[in-house]
Amino acid sequence: MSGSKSSDAFFAPGASPPVDAAAQQRSAGDTALVALVEQSRTRTGRWKLLLLMLVFAAPVVLSYFTYYVIRPEGRTNFGTLINPQRAMPEQALVTALDGSTRRLGELKGQWLLVSVAPGACDATCRNNLYLQRQIRESLGREKDRLDWIWLVSDAQALPSDIRAGLAQASVLRMDGADIAGWLQPEDGHALAEHLYLVDPMGHWMMRMPADLDAKGAAKARRDIERLLRASSSWDRAGREELQ
C-alpha cells in the first residue's frame, strides 16, 4: 500500500509532474536557436538595406570621386572648387518676372550656371548674361542639362533692351541677404563679378574667375563639360515632376 500511495502522490491535484531535465535542455536550446535565427535575419535585413542604398548612391559618389580625386596629371580646373560645398537655401523664396513665387529648392534636379546682379544690369552683368548664354549653347545636345539662372538681387526694373535676349534664361528675384548667405565672391571681388556653378543636388560647388572674357568662358565651358561627363551615369536632362 505504501508503494501505491507514493505513486498516487505524483498525480494528486496540485502536485507537480516529474521534471524531465533533458526536455528542459532541448526547450532551452530551441529557444536560443530561434533567437539566433531572428538576430541573423535582422542583421541580414540591415545589410540588404545598406547594400541597396550603396547601389543607388554609387554612381553619384563614383562620378564625384573621378572628377575630384582621380584626375589626369597636369589637368587643372579653371574654376575654383568650393570645399566644402554649400547647399542652397531651399526654402528661400524667389519671384519670376511674371510675379509668380516659388521656393529656390525647386531648381534642384539640373546643373545651374548662376549670375547675380541688381536689376539695373550694368556692363558686368550684361557681359555675364551673354557669356552664360554662349557657354550653354556651346554644350550642344548637353545644354538641356544646364539651366541659365540670373538671380536679381533687388527690386529694380530690368532694362527693356535686354529682355528679348533672356528668353532662355530663368530670371528670378531673390533677397540679397539670402544670396549672400549662400554664394560668396573671391576675396577682393563683388558677388556680381563671378559665375557660379551649382550641381543637380543643389550644392554650390564651383566659382568661375571674376570678369570673364571669351577666352575665360571657353575654359569655363571645359570645366562644365567634364562635370557633365562625370555625372552622365546618374544625371539626366529635365527635372522630375513634383508630386
Side-chain angles (χ1 to χ4, degrees):
M1 294 294 292
S2 62
S4 175
K5 289 179 180 178
S6 175
S7 176
D8 290 345
F10 285 106
F11 301 101
S16 300
V19 175
D20 185 338
Q24 276 194 332
Q25 290 178 351
R26 287 196 299 273
S27 177
D30 291 345
T31 301
L33 181 60
V34 170
L36 286 173
V37 170
E38 290 299 324
Q39 290 176 3
S40 177
R41 286 176 177 172
T42 300
R43 285 195 297 269
T44 300
R46 288 174 179 170
W47 276 111
K48 286 181 177 178
L49 179 60
L50 179 59
L51 288 172
L52 186 62
M53 293 172 64
L54 288 174
V55 166
F56 283 108
V60 180
V61 174
L62 181 60
S63 64
Y64 272 69
F65 182 78
T66 300
Y67 186 81
Y68 288 115
V69 181
I70 310 176
R71 300 181 193 169
E73 288 191 18
R75 183 173 114 191
T76 57
N77 301 311
F78 176 69
T80 300
L81 292 171
I82 306 304
N83 186 24
Q85 298 176 4
R86 303 182 66 170
M88 66 167 53
E90 295 186 29
Q91 298 306 310
L93 294 176
V94 291
T95 304
L97 294 181
D98 63 4
S100 61
T101 300
R102 60 199 292 195
R103 301 286 180 183
L104 184 66
E106 293 181 35
L107 296 181
K108 290 172 64 175
Q110 287 276 83
W111 288 93
L112 310 176
L113 185 58
V114 181
S115 62
V116 180
C121 198
D122 62 13
T124 297
C125 166
R126 291 172 182 246
N127 180 66
N128 281 341
L129 292 174
Y130 171 75
L131 293 178
Q132 282 177 279
R133 181 178 63 187
Q134 295 303 100
I135 290 171
R136 183 174 182 272
E137 290 299 318
S138 68
L139 295 174
R141 64 182 182 181
E142 295 291 342
K143 72 177 184 178
D144 289 334
R145 294 172 59 195
L146 180 73
D147 279 1
W148 164 20
I149 308 293
W150 174 18
L151 295 180
V152 182
S153 56
D154 61 18
Q156 295 183 63
L158 272 57
S160 58
D161 63 317
I162 68 171
R163 285 179 174 266
L166 296 172
Q168 301 302 315
S170 293
V171 182
L172 302 167
R173 295 189 188 275
M174 183 173 171
D175 183 78
D178 287 338
I179 299 173
W182 176 34
L183 306 175
Q184 290 187 344
E186 183 182 356
D187 290 345
H189 292 275
L191 198 63
E193 294 178 39
H194 299 278
L195 296 182
Y196 306 86
L197 189 65
V198 179
D199 72 18
M201 292 171 285
H203 299 126
W204 168 40
M205 50 79 61
M206 182 175 282
R207 178 181 58 224
M208 301 304 172
D211 302 321
L212 277 183
D213 55 15
K215 185 176 179 180
K219 294 178 180 178
R221 184 200 67 222
R222 286 197 291 271
D223 276 354
I224 294 172
E225 286 176 331
R226 290 170 185 159
L227 284 163
L228 292 178
R229 284 197 299 270
S231 62
S232 61
S233 62
W234 56 271
D235 173 56
R236 296 289 183 271
R239 296 181 176 84
E240 294 183 4
E241 292 294 329
L242 298 177
Q243 300 299 320

